[in-house]
Amino acid sequence: MTSLSKNKIKYIRSMEQKKARKEHGTFLAEGPKLTGELLGRFPCRLLVATEEWLNKHPEAKAEEIVEASPDELSRASLLKTPQQVLGVFAQPSYELDLNAVRTSLSLALDGVQDPGNLGTIVRLADWFGINDIICSPDTADIYNPKTVQATMGGIARVRVHYADLPAFIRSVNGTPVYGTFLDGENLYTQPLSESGLVIMGNEGKGVRPEVETLIDRRLYIPNYPRGRETAESLNVAIATAVVCAEFRRRAAWR
Amino acid sequence: MTSLSKNKIKYIRSMEQKKARKEHGTFLAEGPKLTGELLGRFPCRLLVATEEWLNKHPEAKAEEIVEASPDELSRASLLKTPQQVLGVFAQPSYELDLNAVRTSLSLALDGVQDPGNLGTIVRLADWFGINDIICSPDTADIYNPKTVQATMGGIARVRVHYADLPAFIRSVNGTPVYGTFLDGENLYTQPLSESGLVIMGNEGKGVRPEVETLIDRRLYIPNYPRGRETAESLNVAIATAVVCAEFRRRAAWR
């Protein structure tokens, strides 16, 4: 057991920056629930916890474990309300299995900017049994601490990849490619395949033209009642959820 | 036309605080899209915009209009990326029409804490034609600038009320009252009425026991595939969207 040095606090807090995360190949997770879920899934480089938490979790394994007072923890934490435990974990590296994409329902994100939206999408993908999310390089970073927290543990089960989207979509040629558009076809009256790729775009701009041309099934989430004056769009995570829920309802519950 | 004084900047920025919003009976909206939607819907006390925006919108009406340089605007703005226009608007006061609640689909929120979640829920309520949202007093404030921005204009059409929830639910006695629970019945196999009240709870704790006892139809959003190890829950705005989408699908598209 070592103590929480100023250098360690600095290291933990540096996980807010992509550059530092990349340099160390690590990311930060905070709170008993999330940290607990990640322990045993990803190698933990540094685990910092209160005496109470450590006494309750004698099985917790990490390269280095540091007991800290609540005050020390709050100096290291990036949360408004620091929790009893945080961990710095090794970033996993995933191979993208094109065959798995061809035979499952997967998501592709084209420039989703908001870290919270990305985390929420990973969380709902986890709920709806979506194993792979392929992101354009300019999508928010899955290891942004805000994103990690918003996944609520989904990051332990959903594989998030970064790739050139047009090239990736071409590489799974033959897989139905869905997107949502204001001029698309009603989600509820269109046939939906059990496997396929659902593409969601940037919060303001939607999907890029070079991605849009690769979408062969244009969907629309109908508003209610039809023709009523409403917002022009739904939040990207909300739209993703409504589409994924409908795919799964058709496969399992209709 | 007056200039953007330090006092006005202070007044605009004070809209971040609930106390100041209450004192003045106002709230802040920023950006051409949102401000544009609210102008003409709510009385605008103070409109601050660039020369370019004002030239394009000669019809814009407000008690006071101030032309400001981009630099002045950015000093007044609460956004990371200030926009060309912002407005301080009068808070509307709505009467809660119990008869409308009895004959429509409405939402009730029991302690939703996050301002962004509340704004996202108002935005999706707008999309799905839900006119009234009844919030417990400890739910986030609809006039929090983060909430206002997240509604993306939904705040102009959806009426948000604050009330003692158990008393309110009793006052619409006879209306079906729905909630989502991990031990609820499959959303997709349960009968859903066209009108009713859907209650969503706090992000961490769900609905309070005194509200839960008033819920007569317990729903569950099925995960996929069944029995798979996943996150324990969905984000509250995501769950609200999936439930509202299913109510509207049944009414209009099945």
Side-chain angles (χ1 to χ4, degrees), chain B residues 155-180:
Chain B
I155 194 173
R157 287 170 293 269
V158 177
R159 298 182 295 260
V160 178
H161 315 268
Y162 290 81
D164 178 78
L165 272 197
F168 160 72
I169 297 167
R170 284 193 193 95
S171 73
V172 289
N173 194 12
T175 305
V177 181
Y178 299 85
T180 56

Side-chain angles (χ1 to χ4, degrees), chain B:
Chain B
M1 199 82 78
T2 55
S3 76
L4 195 61
S5 63
K6 275 193 185 166
N7 266 346
K8 284 204 180 71
I9 291 177
K10 205 173 153 190
Y11 168 60
I12 293 163
R13 297 189 66 91
S14 78
M15 290 298 105
E16 199 165 19
Q17 290 142 31
K18 190 169 184 178
K19 200 183 148 193
R21 295 195 297 271
K22 208 177 163 184
E23 189 187 323
H24 297 285
T26 51
F27 67 98
L28 174 67
E30 299 199 53
K33 208 157 158 287
L34 180 60
T35 312
E37 275 203 77
L38 298 191
L39 284 168
R41 299 250 185 189
F42 302 130
C44 184
R45 296 278 165 77
L46 172 62
L47 186 71
V48 180
T50 59
E51 185 184 3
E52 192 190 347
W53 190 92
L54 289 170
N55 285 339
K56 270 195 218 154
H57 300 83
E59 78 296 347
K61 281 207 177 72
E63 286 177 29
E64 189 171 2
I65 300 181
V66 177
E67 184 186 309
S69 66
D71 186 56
E72 285 175 317
L73 252 172
S74 75
R75 263 178 281 152
S77 173
L78 298 176
L79 299 181
K80 273 185 204 163
T81 316
Q83 311 279 313
Q84 316 145 54
V85 57
L86 60 80
V88 178
F89 293 88
Q91 296 180 7
S93 66
Y94 298 120
E95 286 283 314
L96 180 52
D97 179 348
L98 295 183
N99 218 38
V101 173
R102 279 196 197 94
T103 55
S104 319
L105 185 65
S106 306
L107 284 173
L109 306 179
D110 187 22
V112 169
Q113 287 297 297
D114 183 78
N117 279 343
L118 176 59
T120 303
I121 290 171
V122 171
R123 182 177 177 186
L124 74 89
D126 187 24
W127 188 265
F128 288 116
I130 289 163
N131 298 318
D132 291 287
I133 301 181
I134 299 92
C135 302
S136 65
D138 65 337
T139 292
D141 183 20
I142 177 66
Y143 300 115
N144 181 313
K146 279 185 201 155
T147 307
V148 173
Q149 295 302 124
T151 70
M152 294 290 279
I155 194 173
R157 287 170 293 269
V158 177
R159 298 182 295 260
V160 178
H161 315 268
Y162 290 81
D164 178 78
L165 272 197
F168 160 72
I169 297 167
R170 284 193 193 95
S171 73
V172 289
N173 194 12
T175 305
V177 181
Y178 299 85
T180 56
F181 298 93
L182 290 176
D183 65 353
E185 302 287 335
N186 186 336
L187 168 68
Y188 298 121
T189 58
Q190 286 304 296
L192 299 178
S193 47
E194 277 202 42
S195 62
L197 189 62
V198 175
I199 309 206
M200 304 299 297
N202 172 270
E203 287 86 349
K205 290 175 245 164
V207 294
R208 261 169 278 244
E210 54 270 39
V211 170
E212 186 172 343
T213 59
L214 300 170
I215 293 173
D216 47 28
R217 307 199 184 184
R218 299 169 68 92
L219 301 174
Y220 174 68
I221 298 170
N223 61 353
Y224 184 96
R226 281 216 281 186
R228 185 174 160 274
E229 180 191 3
T230 66
E232 277 173 41
S233 66
L234 288 164
N235 164 285
V236 60
I238 297 289
T240 307
V242 172
V243 171
C244 291
E246 180 63 8
F247 269 88
R248 294 321 199 184
R249 184 188 72 81
R250 298 269 192 106
W253 307 113
R254 70 161 165 181

Side-chain angles (χ1 to χ4, degrees), chain A residues 204-218:
Chain A
K205 290 175 246 164
V207 295
R208 260 169 279 244
E210 54 271 37
V211 170
E212 187 173 342
T213 58
L214 300 170
I215 293 173
D216 46 28
R217 307 198 184 184
R218 298 168 69 92

